[in-house]
Amino acid sequence: MRRVASFLGCLLIAAATVGSAMGAQAAEGPAALPPSVRIKPVMVPIVTRGQVERYTQIEVMLEVANATRLGEVQVAIPRLHDAALRAVYTGIEEGWIVRGNIANMPALRRRIDEESVKLFGKDVVSRILITPLSRQSSFP
């Protein structure tokens, strides 16, 4: 009986310790997400035998590491869109993008990151998210 009572006592102490730690974390709230900038969708042509067969779209979102630089990044969205377009066309030439599918995502991200470093300097953009949005059916 003493063993059961001491075991239950240990459980209660452990539960109280964990509960107070969780309560302190809940009071602080969840960590805020870093600010991000969404570039308008980029049209990716699908070329077959030298002609554009159809288009697909990708969306590029940049996570800004330093929130104080967010305004500077937002003002440069047109230049970022241009950099993303150049990266996409380079990706088509280099074989990173094949028939509208991104075959080498790290290379495409690296190219966009290089362009963002040229625009803002190092460590302003922390992550790059590239998402395929839609595909257009073949032309008649």
Short mmCIF file of all heavy atoms in Angstrom, two decimals, residues 8-40:
data_model
loop_
_atom_site.label_atom_id
_atom_site.label_comp_id
_atom_site.label_asym_id
_atom_site.label_seq_id
_atom_site.Cartn_x
_atom_site.Cartn_y
_atom_site.Cartn_z
N LEU A 8 1.83 7.06 -6.52
CA LEU A 8 0.84 8.07 -6.86
C LEU A 8 1.33 9.46 -6.50
O LEU A 8 1.09 10.43 -7.23
CB LEU A 8 -0.49 7.76 -6.18
CG LEU A 8 -1.26 6.57 -6.74
CD1 LEU A 8 -2.50 6.31 -5.89
CD2 LEU A 8 -1.65 6.79 -8.17
N GLY A 9 2.04 9.57 -5.38
CA GLY A 9 2.59 10.85 -4.97
C GLY A 9 3.61 11.36 -5.98
O GLY A 9 3.63 12.54 -6.35
N CYS A 10 4.46 10.45 -6.48
CA CYS A 10 5.46 10.83 -7.51
C CYS A 10 4.77 11.27 -8.79
O CYS A 10 5.19 12.24 -9.43
CB CYS A 10 6.39 9.66 -7.79
SG CYS A 10 7.55 9.34 -6.44
N LEU A 11 3.70 10.56 -9.17
CA LEU A 11 2.95 10.93 -10.36
C LEU A 11 2.34 12.31 -10.22
O LEU A 11 2.35 13.11 -11.16
CB LEU A 11 1.86 9.90 -10.67
CG LEU A 11 2.31 8.62 -11.37
CD1 LEU A 11 1.12 7.68 -11.52
CD2 LEU A 11 2.91 8.92 -12.70
N LEU A 12 1.78 12.61 -9.05
CA LEU A 12 1.17 13.92 -8.82
C LEU A 12 2.22 15.04 -8.88
O LEU A 12 1.97 16.10 -9.45
CB LEU A 12 0.45 13.94 -7.48
CG LEU A 12 -0.87 13.19 -7.42
CD1 LEU A 12 -1.39 13.14 -5.99
CD2 LEU A 12 -1.88 13.84 -8.33
N ILE A 13 3.40 14.77 -8.31
CA ILE A 13 4.46 15.78 -8.36
C ILE A 13 4.91 16.01 -9.80
O ILE A 13 5.08 17.14 -10.24
CB ILE A 13 5.64 15.36 -7.47
CG1 ILE A 13 5.22 15.41 -5.99
CG2 ILE A 13 6.86 16.24 -7.71
CD1 ILE A 13 6.22 14.82 -5.04
N ALA A 14 5.08 14.92 -10.55
CA ALA A 14 5.50 15.04 -11.95
C ALA A 14 4.44 15.78 -12.78
O ALA A 14 4.77 16.64 -13.60
CB ALA A 14 5.76 13.67 -12.56
N ALA A 15 3.17 15.47 -12.54
CA ALA A 15 2.10 16.13 -13.28
C ALA A 15 2.05 17.62 -12.94
O ALA A 15 1.83 18.46 -13.83
CB ALA A 15 0.76 15.47 -12.98
N ALA A 16 2.26 17.96 -11.69
CA ALA A 16 2.25 19.37 -11.29
C ALA A 16 3.42 20.12 -11.93
O ALA A 16 3.27 21.26 -12.37
CB ALA A 16 2.31 19.48 -9.77
N THR A 17 4.57 19.49 -11.99
CA THR A 17 5.75 20.12 -12.59
C THR A 17 5.53 20.37 -14.09
O THR A 17 5.79 21.46 -14.59
CB THR A 17 7.00 19.24 -12.39
OG1 THR A 17 7.14 18.98 -11.00
CG2 THR A 17 8.24 19.93 -12.92
N VAL A 18 5.04 19.34 -14.78
CA VAL A 18 4.79 19.48 -16.21
C VAL A 18 3.68 20.49 -16.47
O VAL A 18 3.77 21.32 -17.36
CB VAL A 18 4.44 18.10 -16.84
CG1 VAL A 18 3.95 18.26 -18.27
CG2 VAL A 18 5.65 17.20 -16.81
N GLY A 19 2.64 20.46 -15.67
CA GLY A 19 1.52 21.39 -15.83
C GLY A 19 1.94 22.83 -15.64
O GLY A 19 1.52 23.71 -16.39
N SER A 20 2.80 23.11 -14.66
CA SER A 20 3.24 24.49 -14.44
C SER A 20 4.15 24.94 -15.58
O SER A 20 4.11 26.10 -15.99
CB SER A 20 3.94 24.63 -13.10
OG SER A 20 5.15 23.87 -13.09
N ALA A 21 4.96 24.04 -16.10
CA ALA A 21 5.83 24.40 -17.23
C ALA A 21 5.00 24.70 -18.47
O ALA A 21 5.27 25.65 -19.20
CB ALA A 21 6.83 23.29 -17.51
N MET A 22 3.96 23.90 -18.70
CA MET A 22 3.10 24.12 -19.86
C MET A 22 2.29 25.40 -19.69
O MET A 22 2.04 26.12 -20.64
CB MET A 22 2.20 22.92 -20.11
CG MET A 22 2.96 21.71 -20.63
SD MET A 22 1.89 20.34 -20.96
CE MET A 22 1.24 20.83 -22.53
N GLY A 23 1.87 25.69 -18.48
CA GLY A 23 1.12 26.91 -18.22
C GLY A 23 1.96 28.14 -18.48
O GLY A 23 1.48 29.13 -19.03
N ALA A 24 3.25 28.09 -18.12
CA ALA A 24 4.14 29.21 -18.38
C ALA A 24 4.34 29.40 -19.89
O ALA A 24 4.36 30.52 -20.39
CB ALA A 24 5.48 28.99 -17.70
N GLN A 25 4.46 28.28 -20.61
CA GLN A 25 4.63 28.38 -22.06
C GLN A 25 3.36 28.91 -22.71
O GLN A 25 3.42 29.70 -23.64
CB GLN A 25 4.99 27.01 -22.64
CG GLN A 25 5.29 27.05 -24.11
CD GLN A 25 5.62 25.67 -24.66
OE1 GLN A 25 5.37 24.67 -24.03
NE2 GLN A 25 6.19 25.66 -25.86
N ALA A 26 2.19 28.49 -22.23
CA ALA A 26 0.93 28.96 -22.78
C ALA A 26 0.75 30.45 -22.52
O ALA A 26 0.16 31.16 -23.32
CB ALA A 26 -0.23 28.17 -22.20
N ALA A 27 1.25 30.94 -21.38
CA ALA A 27 1.14 32.36 -21.07
C ALA A 27 1.96 33.19 -22.05
O ALA A 27 1.57 34.29 -22.43
CB ALA A 27 1.60 32.62 -19.64
N GLU A 28 3.12 32.65 -22.47
CA GLU A 28 3.95 33.36 -23.43
C GLU A 28 3.33 33.34 -24.82
O GLU A 28 3.53 34.23 -25.61
CB GLU A 28 5.34 32.72 -23.50
CG GLU A 28 6.13 32.85 -22.23
CD GLU A 28 7.42 32.05 -22.28
OE1 GLU A 28 7.72 31.46 -23.33
OE2 GLU A 28 8.11 32.01 -21.27
N GLY A 29 2.59 32.29 -25.12
CA GLY A 29 1.97 32.14 -26.43
C GLY A 29 2.90 31.43 -27.40
O GLY A 29 4.09 31.29 -27.14
N PRO A 30 2.35 31.02 -28.51
CA PRO A 30 3.20 30.35 -29.49
C PRO A 30 4.16 31.34 -30.14
O PRO A 30 3.89 32.54 -30.20
CB PRO A 30 2.21 29.79 -30.51
CG PRO A 30 1.00 30.65 -30.37
CD PRO A 30 0.97 31.08 -28.92
N ALA A 31 5.27 30.82 -30.59
CA ALA A 31 6.26 31.69 -31.23
C ALA A 31 5.67 32.29 -32.50
O ALA A 31 5.01 31.62 -33.28
CB ALA A 31 7.52 30.89 -31.57
N ALA A 32 5.89 33.56 -32.69
CA ALA A 32 5.36 34.26 -33.86
C ALA A 32 6.11 33.80 -35.12
O ALA A 32 7.31 33.58 -35.08
CB ALA A 32 5.51 35.76 -33.69
N LEU A 33 5.37 33.65 -36.18
CA LEU A 33 5.99 33.28 -37.45
C LEU A 33 6.73 34.48 -38.02
O LEU A 33 6.28 35.62 -37.88
CB LEU A 33 4.92 32.82 -38.44
CG LEU A 33 4.18 31.54 -38.08
CD1 LEU A 33 3.06 31.29 -39.08
CD2 LEU A 33 5.13 30.37 -38.04
N PRO A 34 7.85 34.25 -38.65
CA PRO A 34 8.55 35.38 -39.27
C PRO A 34 7.74 35.96 -40.41
O PRO A 34 6.96 35.24 -41.05
CB PRO A 34 9.85 34.77 -39.78
CG PRO A 34 9.73 33.31 -39.65
CD PRO A 34 8.55 33.00 -38.82
N PRO A 35 7.88 37.24 -40.69
CA PRO A 35 7.13 37.85 -41.79
C PRO A 35 7.57 37.26 -43.12
O PRO A 35 8.71 36.83 -43.28
CB PRO A 35 7.47 39.33 -41.68
CG PRO A 35 8.75 39.38 -40.95
CD PRO A 35 8.77 38.20 -40.03
N SER A 36 6.64 37.26 -44.07
CA SER A 36 6.97 36.74 -45.39
C SER A 36 6.39 37.65 -46.46
O SER A 36 5.46 38.40 -46.22
CB SER A 36 6.45 35.31 -45.56
OG SER A 36 5.06 35.28 -45.40
N VAL A 37 6.97 37.54 -47.65
CA VAL A 37 6.55 38.33 -48.79
C VAL A 37 6.21 37.37 -49.91
O VAL A 37 7.01 36.49 -50.24
CB VAL A 37 7.68 39.29 -49.23
CG1 VAL A 37 7.32 40.00 -50.52
CG2 VAL A 37 7.99 40.28 -48.14
N ARG A 38 5.03 37.52 -50.47
CA ARG A 38 4.58 36.66 -51.56
C ARG A 38 4.77 37.41 -52.87
O ARG A 38 4.31 38.52 -53.04
CB ARG A 38 3.12 36.29 -51.37
CG ARG A 38 2.59 35.41 -52.48
CD ARG A 38 1.20 34.95 -52.18
NE ARG A 38 1.27 34.08 -51.02
CZ ARG A 38 0.24 33.81 -50.23
NH1 ARG A 38 -0.92 34.33 -50.48
NH2 ARG A 38 0.39 33.01 -49.21
N ILE A 39 5.45 36.75 -53.80
CA ILE A 39 5.63 37.29 -55.13
C ILE A 39 4.47 36.80 -55.98
O ILE A 39 4.05 35.65 -55.85
CB ILE A 39 6.97 36.83 -55.73
CG1 ILE A 39 8.12 37.33 -54.85
CG2 ILE A 39 7.14 37.32 -57.15
CD1 ILE A 39 9.46 36.77 -55.24
N LYS A 40 3.94 37.67 -56.84
CA LYS A 40 2.81 37.22 -57.66
C LYS A 40 3.21 36.01 -58.48
O LYS A 40 4.39 35.81 -58.77
CB LYS A 40 2.27 38.35 -58.52
CG LYS A 40 3.15 38.80 -59.64
CD LYS A 40 2.49 39.93 -60.40
CE LYS A 40 3.34 40.32 -61.58
NZ LYS A 40 2.70 41.30 -62.41
#
